[in-house]
Amino acid sequence: MNVATPHLFVVEDDRAMRVMICDYLSEQGMKTTPLASAEELLRRVHTLRPDLILLDVGLPGSSGLDACRQLRVEGDRIPIILLTARIEEYDRVLGLEMGADDYIGKPFSPRELLARIRAVLRRAVTVPGTATALRADVQLGTLTFQPGARRLVYEGGREHLLTTVEFALLAELVSNPNVPLSRERLMTVVHGRASALLPRTIDVAVMRLRKHVETDPAKPRYVQSIRNFGYMFVP
Ligand code: CA
């Protein structure tokens, strides 16, 4: 994450509101990408990788809640703040259960929005496992994990840039060789907290990670399953 100039997606269908938020955040030194729908968000989030998503709940087509849930089910823990016009407790609780990091009710003051954004960004850089504690390269057979550059380098030089989730998971696993790590612990590393609602999201995230680090993802050598518990890195 570029802490000096964080990049935010602003997903809001109300044009005036979208422009107002983007203008204000730009004045505060942030980079913004305005988007008008959940579909547009899901199309672009994997390539542009913003530091945070401001996500309106009431959108045409898929709702902000649907988009939030989908990202979390995919194992993506990119920070999300929901913008909600409805102030019902139901929406707030549901939003947080869907994996949002925070929510803010409309109408809100620009200063309040900025304070929430800064708080969530601060938390995001201090999530365990995404810290820079791990520095040295780690060899996985012919594959090199370079934590500093957040990438995998394959024999022959092909590279894979790890997503935030892949990096957090792999860093936590290789930092604890031969130690079984529970799903709950990995959830906390990846999502910032354990979620009782979606305990299996970690399995999906591990499946994705294995495609990048295992020669045969069906017969994992490095990231092994510990039945009814979690996963273990075997160097
Ligand atoms: Ca709206």
Side-chain angles (χ1 to χ4, degrees):
M1 170 180 321
N2 183 341
V3 181
T5 314
H7 175 202
L8 278 73
F9 273 10
V10 178
V11 190
E12 166 66 75
D13 59 316
D14 179 331
R15 188 174 178 280
M17 174 75 100
R18 189 170 68 232
V19 169
M20 189 273 284
I21 294 174
C22 287
D23 285 354
Y24 176 72
L25 295 178
S26 301
E27 280 167 27
Q28 303 301 320
M30 297 181 181
K31 186 181 165 214
T32 56
T33 299
L35 301 169
S37 71
E39 289 75 17
E40 217 179 325
L41 162 67
L42 294 173
R43 251 198 324 273
R44 301 188 66 182
V45 69
H46 302 295
T47 46
L48 280 179
R49 303 306 297 165
D51 297 308
L52 189 148
I53 302 168
L54 286 182
L55 182 54
D56 184 28
V57 170
L59 293 167
S62 297
S63 75
L65 282 179
D66 291 337
C68 180
R69 179 174 44 217
Q70 177 156 350
L71 285 172
R72 294 308 188 234
V73 167
E74 289 172 2
D76 200 324
R77 68 158 303 280
I78 213 159
I80 296 174
I81 298 178
L82 294 173
L83 308 177
T84 173
R86 290 175 290 180
I87 52 161
E88 286 93 350
E89 193 64 14
Y90 173 79
D91 269 3
R92 300 183 174 192
V93 171
L94 193 63
L96 296 178
E97 286 197 342
M98 286 308 137
D101 296 84
D102 204 353
Y103 59 85
I104 186 164
K106 294 176 186 171
F108 49 80
S109 75
R111 286 175 66 106
E112 186 186 0
L113 178 66
L114 186 64
R116 297 291 187 91
I117 290 170
R118 288 197 169 136
V120 169
L121 285 175
R122 238 187 340 263
R123 258 189 284 153
V125 292
T126 53
V127 167
T130 60
T132 51
L134 191 70
R135 288 174 201 283
D137 289 0
V138 180
Q139 210 63 39
L140 293 88
T142 57
L143 166 70
T144 311
F145 169 38
Q146 299 181 333
R150 295 196 173 197
R151 70 182 167 203
L152 300 172
V153 181
Y154 298 88
E155 197 178 21
R158 187 172 67 83
E159 292 178 0
H160 169 68
L161 281 182
L162 294 160
T163 65
T164 310
V165 168
E166 290 168 353
F167 175 73
L169 255 187
L170 188 57
E172 184 70 5
L173 284 161
V174 304
S175 301
N176 298 280
N178 299 313
V179 178
L181 303 180
S182 69
R183 277 196 182 81
E184 289 70 27
R185 172 162 169 184
L186 293 171
M187 280 292 282
T188 308
V189 167
V190 171
H191 294 282
R193 68 197 174 92
S195 164
L197 192 70
L198 301 167
R200 297 284 153 181
T201 55
I202 208 70
D203 300 336
V204 177
V206 168
M207 248 166 54
R208 284 167 175 260
L209 180 65
R210 278 175 174 160
K211 285 185 187 153
H212 298 294
V213 301
E214 301 286 356
T215 313
D216 180 0
K219 295 197 185 77
R221 153 74 182 79
Y222 297 106
V223 182
Q224 299 195 4
S225 299
I226 307 292
R227 209 157 168 247
N228 296 326
F229 183 72
Y231 296 93
M232 178 169 77
F233 173 65
V234 180

